[in-house]
Amino acid sequence: MSRATTIDPDFSSWRARARELLAAEIPPTEVFWSETGTRQGELFGEDDPGLPTSRVGEPNLADSNPSESAISFRVPKSFFGLAETVACHTHPERWAVLYRLLWRMTREGERHLLVVSTDEDVRRVRAWAKEVGRDLHKMRAFVRFRKVRETEEGREQFVAWFEPEHRIVRRNAPFFRKRFAGMDWSIFTPDECAHWDGRELTFSPGVSQSEAPDFDALEDLWRSYYKSIFNPARLKLRAMQSEMPMKYWKNLPEAELIGDLTRDASQRRDEMIDRPTREPRPAPKNLYLEKLEDQNSIALVREAEAVPEQETLSEMKTRAECCRACPLWERATQTVFGEGREDAEVMIIGEQPGDQEDLAGRPFVGPAGELLHSVLRELGVSREDLYLTNAVKHFKWRPSPKGVNHRGPTRLHDKADRGEIAACRPWLWGEIAKVSPRVILTLGNTAGQGIVGPDFRVLRDRGEVMPSPDLDFSGKAFATVHPSYLLRLPRGERGIERAAFVEDLRAAFSHA
Ligand code: URA
């Protein structure tokens, strides 16, 4: 017998309902999922009266029922993160597929099902999660606020119109709250709207575009900024169009300029080539950080630097070989890009290539790499199954006052500064977006700062860390110390610290 179960189209409704169904031992083949507010829901009318009903906000069975707690215990934590993302998708079968996965993991002994990437259900939810991730990213990049007025207390009020593909407004709202905390804003979408008044984030039903005010004092600012950052030599129209699909152009004041700028592009490029060579472009040292403080500009800065979504890892690597976003390229032998499985479950992020990595062009092939490999071996993990990369892709070094070797002065590792970490961040985030690992493990301060930002401190924040709010990553990020920290310790202290390092890796891998 098929039972109709109607939920509000959000994760918490589905989770509460799924727990009830599981507790009542109802197999997925007997459940027909539909959503409130959809024609299907109306067609099928009332829920199955044989089941307890629950709505968001009511006590959840799982919180009080011991057998339910046991169920939650057997479900890998990563499933709920994945399910929360998939819940934002608009595919009508997502609830059924999620419930089937839950059933198989808890009732059919397939506890590790999520790692079986050939499984059709797993493949579908992963694909959906990726699509939602992309939509989250697009909304962050393409929302443009228009100033509508100033309150008597002097608070500026802004509105934006956006048409996401999926139900991502609630999921993305905390990002906008954090980024635009100092102003009042509303983001209107056809599905749902989000509002921030400096104190509280609230939501209201969707609206049509005509309800989003038209007046825009910021447009000229956006336009002139866009014009100033436009570099004809980097023009890749196809890439631009797919990163910034036409659908979004109409909301972007700077988009009007694209036509003119592209028409002039070849002439401007020739002029640039003909210009006498100047000193290397000054490093955009703290460009990113300055822009971070200037809230109006941040979206454009990220957009200008963002790695196009459809670019493959090897194309990204090729482009990174010419990266001049900071001065480190000048003294390094080559760019050391990440390497490993493109669908790795775990991504390990180090600080920057060392002397040997710089010469070999591969990450983690020197002494720190050896230590890392020995720990991986101990844990039964093969390097080939991972994706290894660094927060900074060029070796930063200074000549040793003491030594020379056959290649010249001995090179001493120097710490990358904030500007250099920030300049390299688009590559790192591009790699994360492509590989989409379940677990990120950062090694040392610089790697942690590459993800979380400059306030990260490894010895304080070691363990599970929150990824940056503007990073599209739905897995878990962990931090531990860098292997070269262990190598620098006096031998007597190294054993204990190494054991802690092994445990950190073990804990991180257990979430994959
Ligand atoms: N240290 C790192 O952080 N990365 C490497 O690739 C090598 C050493």
Side-chain angles (χ1 to χ4, degrees):
M1 186 187 76
S2 185
R3 298 160 195 252
T5 187
T6 307
I7 54 166
D8 292 335
D10 60 45
F11 172 68
S12 47
S13 278
W14 172 82
R15 184 175 56 183
R17 199 65 174 154
R19 281 176 162 159
E20 291 165 356
L21 290 164
L22 264 191
E25 301 277 348
I26 308 219
T29 45
E30 289 184 18
V31 186
F32 181 86
W33 293 86
S34 61
E35 297 175 352
T36 51
T38 63
R39 287 200 45 229
Q40 277 178 344
E42 285 153 22
L43 270 179
F44 284 87
E46 292 295 297
D47 282 358
D48 177 355
L51 278 173
T53 52
S54 99
R55 287 275 172 260
V56 188
E58 286 182 11
N60 187 329
L61 279 181
D63 295 335
S64 54
N65 180 330
S67 68
E68 274 292 303
S69 311
I71 290 166
S72 342
F73 183 67
R74 288 199 305 270
V75 179
K77 268 199 198 154
S78 57
F79 174 72
F80 287 105
L82 183 67
E84 204 167 352
T85 304
V86 169
C88 299
H89 204 281
T90 46
H91 199 291
E93 288 170 33
R94 67 198 184 287
W95 307 120
V97 175
L98 286 173
Y99 183 60
R100 193 157 58 233
L101 283 171
L102 193 57
W103 177 268
R104 291 173 62 192
M105 285 186 292
T106 55
R107 293 286 184 261
E108 293 182 353
E110 297 182 78
R111 176 155 157 61
H112 298 292
L113 176 59
L114 288 185
V115 299
V116 185
S117 44
T118 49
D119 182 273
E120 183 55 14
D121 287 340
V122 173
R123 193 197 60 70
R124 289 182 85 191
V125 293
R126 284 205 197 163
W128 288 333
K130 271 207 164 147
E131 282 160 17
V132 170
R134 246 177 255 141
D135 210 27
L136 289 165
H137 170 77
K138 291 220 157 80
M139 181 169 175
R140 292 170 187 190
F142 299 132
V143 156
R144 293 288 177 275
F145 286 105
R146 296 154 183 248
K147 183 172 166 187
V148 277
R149 66 183 196 100
E150 217 168 288
T151 63
E152 278 162 17
E153 304 83 56
R155 272 184 80 81
E156 294 184 308
Q157 298 193 311
F158 292 80
V159 296
W161 168 255
F162 192 73
E163 292 169 66
E165 312 234 335
H166 301 288
R167 297 171 188 266
I168 55 170
V169 173
R170 272 175 201 255
R171 189 76 188 270
N172 244 349
F175 164 86
F176 288 97
R177 178 188 54 198
K178 195 158 180 203
R179 176 58 49 80
F180 299 104
M183 63 194 214
D184 293 355
W185 51 257
S186 290
I187 302 176
F188 295 105
T189 86
D191 253 346
E192 191 172 32
C193 308
H195 315 273
W196 169 249
D197 63 2
R199 279 172 291 116
E200 204 187 352
L201 201 51
T202 51
F203 299 91
S204 62
V207 296
S208 66
Q209 181 161 19
S210 59
E211 291 174 68
D214 223 4
F215 168 71
D216 188 1
L218 288 181
E219 282 197 6
D220 289 343
L221 198 80
W222 286 121
R223 278 205 199 90
S224 50
Y225 181 73
Y226 192 75
K227 215 166 180 167
S228 73
I229 60 162
F230 182 81
N231 176 353
R234 288 177 58 188
L235 179 62
K236 283 192 183 159
L237 201 56
R238 272 214 355 246
M240 254 166 86
Q241 281 167 342
S242 79
E243 174 68 5
M244 193 197 278
M246 294 300 262
K247 155 174 172 184
Y248 300 109
W249 286 32
K250 63 181 186 296
N251 302 321
L252 307 181
E254 70 272 25
E256 278 175 29
L257 293 171
I258 292 176
D260 294 344
L261 290 170
T262 52
R263 235 170 284 123
D264 296 347
S266 55
Q267 190 192 336
R268 290 180 62 201
R269 185 178 49 226
D270 293 346
E271 280 168 19
M272 273 172 79
I273 292 167
D274 290 345
R275 240 177 262 155
T277 23
R278 286 182 284 134
E279 286 295 290
R281 190 159 66 90
K285 257 208 152 182
N286 291 320
L287 175 77
Y288 187 88
L289 300 168
E290 279 161 23
K291 296 295 178 190
L292 267 180
E293 279 144 33
D294 173 2
Q295 298 193 336
N296 287 334
S297 310
I298 180 63
L300 280 178
V301 172
R302 294 219 36 230
E303 194 173 291
E305 310 227 344
V307 172
E309 190 183 290
Q310 83 295 356
E311 194 170 55
T312 64
L313 276 171
S314 84
E315 285 165 347
M316 223 184 272
K317 178 175 181 197
T318 307
R319 268 189 335 111
E321 278 158 15
C322 311
C323 183
R324 302 289 182 262
C326 82
L328 295 186
W329 65 274
E330 287 174 87
R331 306 185 70 186
T333 309
Q334 56 193 315
T335 304
V336 180
F337 205 70
E339 67 172 34
R341 284 184 71 128
E342 302 204 355
D343 60 349
E345 304 280 335
V346 180
M347 177 184 277
I348 295 187
I349 304 173
E351 178 190 345
Q352 59 164 310
D355 183 76
Q356 296 196 30
E357 287 80 12
D358 171 77
L359 297 171
R362 298 183 56 207
F364 291 105
V365 294
E370 263 173 42
L371 198 157
L372 179 64
H373 294 154
S374 77
V375 170
L376 290 177
R377 266 196 305 277
E378 204 170 313
L379 294 172
V381 175
S382 151
R383 172 181 171 128
E384 278 64 49
D385 286 334
L386 307 173
Y387 187 88
L388 299 182
T389 192
N390 285 300
V392 172
K393 312 285 193 237
H394 283 117
F395 179 33
K396 182 173 182 183
W397 62 275
R398 65 194 141 85
S400 157
K402 295 194 210 123
V404 285
N405 63 22
H406 62 283
R407 294 193 307 266
T410 316
R411 305 187 299 174
L412 296 179
H413 165 280
D414 235 358
K415 241 187 154 20
D417 68 24
R418 279 178 174 204
E420 289 150 358
I421 299 171
C424 233
R425 194 173 276 132
W427 299 121
L428 180 60
W429 289 11
E431 290 175 292
I432 294 172
K434 274 287 142 210
V435 177
S436 191
R438 258 175 228 218
V439 170
I440 287 177
L441 178 64
T442 62
L443 308 178
N445 264 330
T446 305
Q449 287 166 3
I451 297 291
V452 176
D455 293 334
F456 176 85
R457 295 288 173 276
V458 68
L459 294 176
R460 185 194 62 201
D461 302 331
R462 185 176 191 166
E464 192 174 337
V465 294
M466 287 298 294
S468 159
D470 42 8
L471 171 64
D472 289 335
F473 170 61
S474 54
K476 289 208 160 152
F478 297 84
T480 186
V481 295
H482 196 282
S484 49
Y485 160 78
L486 303 178
L487 293 174
R488 286 194 303 270
L489 288 174
R491 281 208 174 271
E493 289 171 34
R494 203 180 286 170
I496 294 178
E497 283 298 323
R498 187 183 184 283
F501 180 69
V502 173
E503 286 320 306
D504 282 347
L505 263 72
R506 195 194 306 280
F509 284 123
S510 74
H511 289 268

